[in-house]
Amino acid sequence: MAHLLRISRYIDETNKKMGDFAGWLILAMAIVTFIVVILRYFFNLGWVWIQDSVSYMHGASFMLAAAYTLLNNEHVRVDILYQPLSEAKKAKVNIIGTSLLLFPFCFLIWFYGFEYVANSWAVFEGSKETGGLGGVYIVKSLVIIFPTLLFLQGVSEIIKAVEIIKKSGDLQTQTTKQVGPDV
């Protein structure tokens, strides 16, 4: 279990760095948006590439921050049912939810997104607008990176949940119930 917890910490650290990077992207996006507004309304200037950069940063921030949000337990859930549960029961709910909902979602996004990204890379897709930023294929790669990071964070959450259940003694209790009482 110690080896799995090390893997979990590594995944958590990676997604924390991605979340921190996404936070800086959001700040950069706000600054660039402010600059676009100033240039447009005070100087009557505008460039497609600078507006494209805002769109790129916007998409990247959401795609990279999703796993970070899961890491920090900030994703959406029905707290009215979840909150009163014990830590061990919450861990069991997390394992079931991650296995039955998150993993299939990640697989579907990855499976259907792969061809979408591959086609973009095949033609080195650029902006459809004249004067727009190139590298759309790089941004579209986030469609594959997003579910990969989210899946890995799900694995980390399951490892941590199993550790919580193990520490609570629920695994031993269940084993004893299945085998029968000690004689």
Side-chain angles (χ1 to χ4, degrees):
M1 191 69 189
H3 181 65
L4 290 175
L5 287 170
R6 277 194 298 278
I7 291 170
S8 174
R9 280 192 297 275
Y10 178 75
I11 293 168
D12 291 354
E13 178 115 359
T14 300
N15 282 322
K16 181 178 182 335
K17 288 177 183 174
M18 290 295 168
D20 291 344
F21 179 71
W24 286 107
L25 271 180
I26 291 169
L27 177 62
M29 183 176 62
I31 292 168
V32 171
T33 301
F34 177 75
I35 291 168
V36 166
V37 169
I38 297 298
L39 289 173
R40 181 178 296 148
Y41 293 105
F42 289 104
F43 300 104
N44 202 26
L45 295 171
W47 295 277
V48 174
W49 66 267
I50 199 167
Q51 293 173 357
D52 277 357
S53 72
V54 171
S55 295
Y56 287 19
M57 288 185 279
H58 184 257
S61 64
F62 280 94
M63 298 275 204
L64 295 174
Y68 175 79
T69 303
L70 180 58
L71 166 65
N72 288 295
N73 205 20
E74 295 294 331
H75 55 286
V76 177
R77 70 160 48 99
V78 183
D79 275 346
I80 195 166
L81 303 173
Y82 184 82
Q83 191 175 13
L85 298 176
S86 69
E87 289 303 310
K89 287 182 181 174
K90 285 180 183 178
K92 290 175 187 176
V93 168
N94 289 342
I95 290 170
I96 293 167
T98 300
S99 300
L100 298 179
L101 301 172
L102 180 67
F103 287 164
F105 170 78
C106 291
F107 173 75
L108 288 172
I109 296 292
W110 200 95
F111 182 79
Y112 287 106
F114 187 83
E115 186 176 350
Y116 173 74
V117 173
N119 290 338
S120 185
W121 272 88
V123 296
F124 295 110
E125 185 178 2
S127 178
K128 290 180 172 53
E129 303 294 327
T130 304
L133 281 179
V136 171
Y137 59 97
I138 296 169
V139 176
K140 284 187 176 182
S141 296
L142 291 171
V143 171
I144 300 301
I145 294 169
F146 157 69
T148 302
L149 291 173
L150 205 51
F151 177 85
L152 290 172
Q153 191 58 48
V155 169
S156 175
E157 296 304 311
I158 285 179
I159 292 168
K160 291 182 279 189
V162 168
E163 179 68 11
I164 289 169
I165 294 168
K166 187 176 153 189
K167 284 184 178 178
S168 75
D170 277 8
L171 286 179
Q172 294 169 344
T173 304
Q174 289 176 356
T175 306
T176 305
K177 286 180 185 176
Q178 290 173 355
V179 175
D182 290 335
V183 180

